[in-house]
Amino acid sequence: MGDVLAGIHATWELESDALVIRFDRGIRTPKFFHVLRERRVPLEALASVTLMPGKRGTVVLHAVPRPGADPLMEAAAGQLKEGSDPYRLVLPAEREPLAEHCRDELRALLAALPGAAGDGVAVESAASAERFLVAPPTGPQSFKAYDGKATFDGTSEVAFRWSWTGATSEKWKAGDQVFSVRDLCGVEWRSPDGVDGYLRLVPRGGGPRAERPDQDPMCVVFGRYGPVHESLTFAAAVLAAIRGKDRAPVPVPVAVAAGAGAGAGREAERRDPGAVAERIRHLGELHQAGLVTDAEFSAKKAELLAEL
């Protein structure tokens, strides 16, 4: 064992009981891989491995994880683009013989696992793991979103601290939030690749919630802030902590945009004039203190006035 195969943006090393994936830190490497750095994937976490032709003279080795085995992929819920899939290893086409050898070695290891179905399949692909088999990101996690900063202490608490220039009046009125992991049953992550990305915590017991993520105090939105590379590892860490409290997360489907009619109706709702006026006053104080630029002050003031 100990076979090493270096590809584009990552390197695979086969051990007797795991696949170790180390990600490059080059300027051409996806920033998401910079955050991951290295992952050790137990063989029991894999369902199969394939080798397929890639784009522009490449081949792609793809280790397919079992559903429910990796908190990162569980949180992603199928939203990762191919270029950001940590289980794909892209190699130049001339290295295909080495890739075939690696595939065959990995398939042999999977076939030797208890309950293997043969032909490189460790378990039936439809079977879900009863627990996370791939270690989640460890230690405190944090990232900056458009309307606030999210922090997780790594074990028991998630906190959202709102940005005065990004958060809506509803979140500003609710105040900064702190949530116990024991009170959560899941995490909903919508990819920041689009303009409507967000990370939303799912409470135990249900109850009424704001339909719009930008008005929900249990949600931070990515908005115009741009890609948030740390948000998925954050979601995976929180999800693993929830399951670690012996409370299985509730599967949350990927949200879809509301219809135009419903959206127009919500936009037509009037906001509390007093709350908007108070927020404009505080924004003016930040502007006078030099903490907000003229352009930021004008843009945010216009946005707040539009809520009336």
Side-chain angles (χ1 to χ4, degrees):
M1 290 292 93
D3 293 343
V4 177
L5 181 61
I8 301 172
H9 304 322
T11 299
W12 282 13
E13 180 176 356
L14 295 184
E15 297 182 350
S16 59
D17 60 347
L19 169 64
V20 179
I21 306 174
R22 298 183 177 90
F23 299 96
D24 296 341
R25 300 295 298 270
I27 59 174
R28 296 182 181 274
T29 303
K31 291 183 179 180
F32 178 51
F33 291 170
H34 289 193
V35 176
L36 295 180
R37 298 186 181 182
E38 178 178 319
R39 310 195 78 220
R40 190 177 190 276
V41 183
L43 295 182
E44 291 84 357
L46 298 178
S48 62
V49 60
T50 63
L51 177 63
M52 301 289 290
K55 300 177 181 178
R56 296 186 290 276
T58 62
V59 293
V60 179
L61 267 173
H62 187 200
V64 182
R66 291 173 57 186
D70 184 348
L72 189 78
M73 305 307 286
E74 191 85 347
Q79 298 176 76
L80 287 178
K81 295 181 178 180
E82 285 188 350
S84 296
D85 187 339
Y87 286 92
R88 296 174 79 253
L89 182 69
V90 182
L91 305 105
E94 59 267 21
R95 306 197 69 189
E96 184 172 0
L98 292 175
E100 289 177 344
H101 175 73
C102 181
R103 176 201 61 191
D104 294 344
E105 287 271 342
L106 189 49
R107 282 183 171 180
L109 291 171
L110 295 181
L113 293 174
D119 195 25
V121 180
V123 292
E124 295 183 12
S125 60
S128 296
E130 296 181 356
R131 58 186 177 85
F132 289 137
L133 300 173
V134 182
T138 58
Q141 304 281 322
S142 67
F143 70 91
K144 186 177 181 182
Y146 172 70
D147 63 353
K149 182 177 181 180
T151 59
F152 174 47
D153 64 5
T155 56
S156 59
E157 285 190 349
V158 180
F160 293 158
R161 183 176 181 180
W162 306 123
S163 164
W164 291 106
T165 57
T168 58
S169 296
E170 289 79 7
K171 290 184 177 179
W172 181 79
K173 287 164 59 179
D176 294 341
Q177 302 289 301
V178 178
F179 307 97
S180 171
V181 167
R182 292 187 179 277
D183 296 331
L184 305 175
C185 67
V187 180
E188 180 182 353
W189 180 82
R190 187 175 178 89
S191 173
D193 286 334
V195 296
D196 55 352
Y198 58 81
L199 182 144
R200 198 172 202 169
L201 304 176
V202 182
R204 292 181 60 81
R209 303 184 65 190
E211 292 187 35
R212 287 175 43 180
D214 64 337
Q215 295 178 357
D216 186 352
M218 298 191 74
C219 178
V220 289
V221 299
F222 306 142
R224 298 185 297 273
Y225 192 79
V228 184
H229 311 291
E230 301 89 350
S231 65
L232 182 53
T233 53
F234 184 103
V238 174
L239 199 58
I242 293 172
R243 185 166 294 187
K245 300 295 184 183
D246 295 326
R247 304 177 188 274
V250 174
V252 181
V254 177
V256 296
R266 286 193 298 270
E267 289 297 331
E269 295 178 357
R270 296 185 61 83
R271 306 296 189 265
D272 180 1
V276 173
E278 177 64 18
R279 195 162 176 217
I280 291 176
R281 182 193 65 76
H282 184 81
L283 185 66
E285 293 177 354
L286 295 176
H287 180 235
Q288 292 179 0
L291 299 177
V292 176
T293 66
D294 292 343
E296 290 172 335
F297 174 75
S298 298
K300 192 60 184 179
K301 182 178 178 182
E303 180 181 327
L304 292 170
L305 290 174
E307 295 184 4
L308 295 175

